[in-house]
Amino acid sequence: MRRFTLIAVPYLWLLALFLVPFGIVFKISLSDAALAIPPYTPTLDLSEGWAGIKALFAELDFDNFVWLTQDDLYWRAYLSSLQIALFSTLGCLLVGFPIAYGMANASESWRPTLMMLVILPFWTSFLIRVYAWIGILSTEGLLNQFLMTIGIISEPLQILNTNKAVYIGIIYTYLPFMILPIYASLERIDGSLLEAAEDLGCSRLQAFWLITVPLARPGVIAGSFLVFIPTIGEFVIPSLLGGSRTLMIGKVLWEEFFSNRDWPVASAVAVVLLLILVIPIVLFQRNEQKQREAEQ
Amino acid sequence: MKKTLVPAALALAVGAGAAFAEEVRVYNWSDYIDESLLTKFEKETGIKLIYDVFDSNEVLETKLLAGSTGYDVVVPSGTFLQRQITAGVFQPLDFSKLPNAVNLWDVIKERTAKYDPGNKYSINYMWGTTGLGINAEKVAEVLGEDAPVDSLALIFDPANMEKLKSCGVHILDAPVEVIPAALAYLGEDPDSQDPDVIAKTEPVLTAMAPNVLKFHSSEYISALANGDICVAFGWSGDILQARDRADEADNGVTIEYYAPKEGALMWFDQMAIPADAPNPDGAHKFLNFIMDAENMAAASNYVYYANGNKASQEFLEEDVIGDVAIYPDEETLKNLYTTSPYGPKVQRVVTRLWTKVKSGS
């Protein structure tokens, strides 16, 4: 019984905050757009009782999902979002791992300060920090002025309103989500393991590769998920820093919702996005589980 | 259709800390009123006014269609209002509570009746045109003294745009404004609902897009005023505000506004009360307050847009009532056209075309 209550809490959480909202979005994605409040049809009419529920299901169909396959806009937006998310995650990893490694190897007295410095930017609104990048990256911005003053470039670089600015904004914003889990796993590594490896004839580089990297793996995986998943649906950063040629699924979804007033197609876009994220993650975790069982 | 520098809606509570028995919530375009009117309303009526702002019709419409916005007064533009009336978003106005409605201007009421038959659901707040804002010196420098500044050819003829690219062009990020203009340029009916006719604008727009610095609906005010860009296709009052800012800054920038000779879109922002408004009685008091001749004049004097209030005209300053860019003369008035809302299928064609124009795919 106690075990049951223990499991019940997380499952209830999942049910209330994931499955129920997903069910609502999925139902809307099977509806048709209408000029009404709310702007889709059919809606659930409980006064009709069982007959009303049956009538509701009779009217639902998969037309909106078929529609998504008919215009290449959607799959190109998905692909370009996947690409941006993938490269941003790699970028965060390349920048974040050395920072986390440095933090974990700093002296005990320094670590709280370093940790503080990583968290400090969160004290300012995310929106203001992204706006600040506009001031840095624009053609008359700080970066271009600096580079032109020291004579590296003679013409200002066009960074703002391109994908470069989107990458910079995403990597900057999500970096702490990569650093913190990696730091957590690096910090736990027992220093005597590395000493033992060196005693047994490993070079420092070999010891790093054979001991530190495998033990940091859980942190790297957690960090990558924390960056990759929100990035793929990112809307604010591409709309502020990107140009009109930056194609991301978050923007397409916004247009369906606001410009076309087509909640059903917008919901279908969201459902497909969720499937694109959930299926690989579930497969990946199952694979991890199997490996772990095989090792034991 | 008024937008400003602040892209996100920011809430502005005007209450001065006094205790109020009731409150009324107004949702208006950003930077679209003389703010001293808000405190004046609270003093006169004893009602607490909660004044929030938005910057796009699409955002307002999505909130209204989701229902239960909690707002008592909202300000959609005509074409959006028409569709929202069909969806049952608004309640009919009770004109017995609106004695100041006698101040309204017949000329404007006739035109807004296209969107709100009989003017049963809304009153006109302000109206304006969509046209060309130019930095006179820079355009003359790039295109010569005889540049076609009063013609849509300025932005739709690639020969002009390729030269203007060097000094910067902003275009409204609003297909419902730009596509009718492109149709007018091509000599088609700007109000066409035919997807095949709308498709004719695609080559014109895709040829223009690479030379556009930015598609945006509010940044052009400061960009024009600072001299960062030389041409903007935007809303009349915004461009006149840019002219005013440049004058005040005395930075050597001269901004001019032209309603294109091929025809300019005339639009109306209408005040209406949602069907589920928590305080419809307070909402009527607010509408009546706004329709007061002096109050409405104060608002227009502040934002440089014309209003639909005949009685307010005697209180308007000369640089508002006397400016043909704000109150067009008979000649210009003939050249103005209005549009109707797109149906869902056509809307999809329009949005898709716009995405293609902006993203190049």
Side-chain angles (χ1 to χ4, degrees):
Chain A
M1 189 61 207
R2 209 162 121 227
R3 192 167 163 219
F4 176 76
T5 17
L6 271 178
I7 308 176
V9 174
Y11 273 90
L12 268 178
W13 180 270
L14 197 68
L15 185 76
L17 295 177
F18 174 74
L19 277 178
V20 171
F22 176 76
I24 295 171
V25 171
F26 187 61
K27 188 246 138 186
I28 298 176
S29 76
L30 303 178
S31 315
D32 294 312
L35 194 53
I37 308 175
Y40 52 85
T41 181
T43 45
L44 188 55
D45 185 3
L46 282 178
S47 63
E48 295 273 319
W50 187 237
I53 295 174
K54 262 206 219 153
L56 174 83
F57 277 98
E59 278 186 56
L60 299 178
D61 55 52
F62 284 89
D63 285 358
N64 296 316
F65 291 92
V66 176
W67 165 259
L68 293 190
T69 63
Q70 283 166 351
D71 191 333
D72 63 353
L73 173 72
Y74 299 100
W75 65 260
R76 279 190 300 108
Y78 282 120
L79 278 184
S80 118
S81 296
L82 277 171
Q83 186 193 341
I84 288 177
L86 196 67
F87 287 146
S88 304
T89 310
L90 285 176
C92 278
L93 189 60
L94 282 177
V95 181
F97 196 94
I99 296 178
Y101 188 75
M103 281 169 66
N105 286 304
S107 70
E108 292 274 351
S109 58
W110 266 98
R111 282 184 205 172
T113 319
L114 293 173
M115 181 72 121
M116 194 67 201
L117 287 175
V118 172
I119 298 172
L120 203 64
F122 286 110
W123 290 16
T124 313
S125 153
F126 157 72
L127 208 56
I128 292 175
R129 284 182 285 135
V130 178
Y131 263 105
W133 277 106
I134 297 180
I136 295 172
L137 298 176
S138 74
T139 42
E140 304 88 35
L142 291 173
L143 180 68
N144 274 314
Q145 277 180 359
F146 173 72
L147 291 177
M148 277 159 77
T149 316
I150 61 171
I152 293 185
I153 50 170
S154 53
E155 283 281 298
L157 300 172
Q158 182 66 47
I159 301 174
L160 192 65
N161 300 332
T162 67
N163 278 0
K164 286 178 218 136
V166 176
Y167 282 119
I168 292 172
I170 291 177
I171 292 173
Y172 162 77
T173 306
Y174 288 100
L175 194 58
F177 298 104
M178 184 62 92
I179 294 176
L180 294 177
I182 298 180
Y183 169 71
S185 36
L186 286 177
E187 199 201 11
R188 273 200 306 252
I189 295 178
D190 187 348
S192 55
L193 288 175
L194 289 168
E195 284 165 24
E198 283 178 35
D199 284 348
L200 294 171
C202 272
S203 71
R204 289 194 69 166
L205 200 66
Q206 276 175 311
F208 174 78
W209 189 247
L210 293 173
I211 309 285
T212 312
V213 171
L215 287 174
R217 201 175 120 98
V220 171
I221 291 170
S224 300
F225 276 152
L226 283 177
V227 175
F228 185 81
I229 294 170
T231 305
I232 203 165
E234 184 58 58
F235 170 70
V236 175
I237 297 173
S239 48
L240 288 178
L241 300 180
S244 52
R245 282 170 192 268
T246 308
L247 192 61
M248 281 191 83
I249 201 67
K251 264 174 142 177
V252 171
L253 206 142
W254 194 94
E255 299 241 300
E256 287 297 339
F257 199 70
F258 287 92
S259 301
N260 288 340
R261 289 175 307 281
D262 197 331
W263 291 22
V265 169
S267 305
V269 171
V271 168
V272 172
L273 179 61
L274 194 79
L275 294 180
I276 289 177
L277 285 175
V278 165
I279 292 175
I281 290 172
V282 169
L283 289 178
F284 178 81
Q285 289 220 317
R286 193 171 285 174
N287 191 28
E288 286 282 293
Q289 187 99 28
K290 265 195 205 143
Q291 273 193 351
R292 226 172 300 149
E293 276 162 16
E295 278 167 19
Q296 277 168 7
Chain B
M1 301 193 196
K2 175 68 188 54
K3 306 194 178 187
T4 60
L5 292 173
V6 188
L10 60 95
L12 177 74
V14 208
F20 293 100
E22 58 175 304
E23 57 181 35
V24 60
R25 292 166 185 265
V26 177
Y27 198 38
N28 196 359
W29 292 86
S30 48
D31 221 11
Y32 208 24
I33 200 163
D34 179 352
E35 277 167 21
S36 66
L37 286 173
L38 307 179
T39 35
K40 189 178 171 196
F41 173 76
E42 289 191 329
K43 270 198 201 118
E44 277 183 15
T45 59
I47 298 175
K48 183 175 170 59
L49 181 62
I50 297 175
Y51 188 81
D52 290 350
V53 297
F54 59 91
D55 74 346
S56 93
N57 266 313
E58 285 80 8
V59 169
L60 171 64
E61 180 159 275
T62 305
K63 282 195 184 211
L64 287 171
L65 291 180
S68 315
T69 57
Y71 289 109
D72 299 302
V73 175
V74 294
V75 193
S77 304
T79 50
F80 286 80
L81 175 93
Q82 183 175 358
R83 189 163 46 216
Q84 289 152 11
I85 290 174
T86 321
V89 168
F90 300 115
Q91 52 180 286
L93 298 178
D94 179 353
F95 280 90
S96 68
K97 293 178 185 164
L98 301 171
N100 284 338
V102 294
N103 293 340
L104 294 180
W105 190 10
D106 295 347
V107 176
I108 298 303
K109 271 170 87 174
E110 272 167 34
R111 291 181 186 245
T112 57
K114 173 176 178 181
Y115 307 109
D116 175 8
N119 290 296
K120 274 189 275 189
Y121 292 90
S122 67
I123 58 153
N124 178 252
Y125 178 58
M126 299 216 189
W127 55 274
T129 54
T130 308
L132 299 161
I134 63 152
N135 179 328
E137 290 89 16
K138 277 198 181 172
V139 170
E141 204 175 285
V142 176
L143 289 179
E145 290 297 333
D146 53 350
V149 290
D150 62 343
S151 164
L152 288 168
L154 192 70
I155 54 169
F156 291 137
D157 183 346
N160 293 327
M161 278 301 279
E162 275 156 23
K163 291 180 190 153
L164 290 171
K165 186 184 184 182
S166 64
C167 59
V169 178
H170 275 200
I171 303 283
L172 284 179
D173 188 9
V176 292
E177 309 260 348
V178 183
I179 288 172
L183 286 170
Y185 172 68
L186 293 172
E188 299 281 348
D189 174 14
D191 194 18
S192 177
Q193 304 275 327
D194 180 348
D196 294 333
V197 176
I198 290 171
K200 288 184 188 173
T201 63
E202 188 180 325
V204 177
L205 296 173
T206 44
M208 171 188 75
N211 299 318
V212 173
L213 183 64
K214 195 159 192 177
F215 290 95
H216 199 279
S217 301
S218 54
E219 276 181 19
Y220 64 92
I221 306 180
S222 52
L224 266 181
N226 298 338
D228 293 340
I229 59 171
C230 56
V231 172
F233 180 72
W235 292 310
S236 51
D238 283 4
I239 289 163
L240 297 170
Q241 282 176 38
R243 180 188 69 182
D244 220 44
R245 282 193 209 173
D247 282 350
E248 273 166 27
D250 202 16
N251 53 3
V253 173
T254 321
I255 304 298
E256 292 167 6
Y257 174 77
Y258 293 96
K261 64 177 182 205
E262 292 88 348
L265 175 69
M266 186 183 192
W267 47 260
F268 306 88
D269 287 341
Q270 301 287 108
M271 285 193 165
I273 304 178
D276 55 5
N279 184 2
D281 201 48
H284 279 87
K285 282 184 189 149
F286 183 79
L287 292 190
N288 199 47
F289 172 84
I290 281 294
M291 284 187 290
D292 175 83
E294 286 188 53
N295 292 342
M296 196 62 234
S300 277
N301 285 334
Y302 193 84
V303 299
Y304 290 97
Y305 280 103
N307 62 54
N309 194 308
K310 180 78 179 158
S312 76
Q313 293 181 1
E314 63 170 299
F315 302 105
L316 289 175
E317 279 162 22
E318 189 47 39
D319 70 337
V320 176
I321 185 84
D323 189 338
V324 288
I326 303 177
Y327 280 91
D329 48 13
E330 287 296 318
E331 188 71 14
T332 325
L333 214 51
K334 267 184 233 150
N335 247 340
L336 301 182
Y337 60 82
T338 54
T339 53
S340 322
Y342 294 123
K345 289 235 168 64
V346 186
Q347 180 68 55
R348 187 164 274 293
V349 171
V350 165
T351 307
R352 184 68 185 89
L353 170 61
W354 195 241
T355 307
K356 193 184 259 181
V357 166
K358 286 198 299 174
S359 67
S361 52

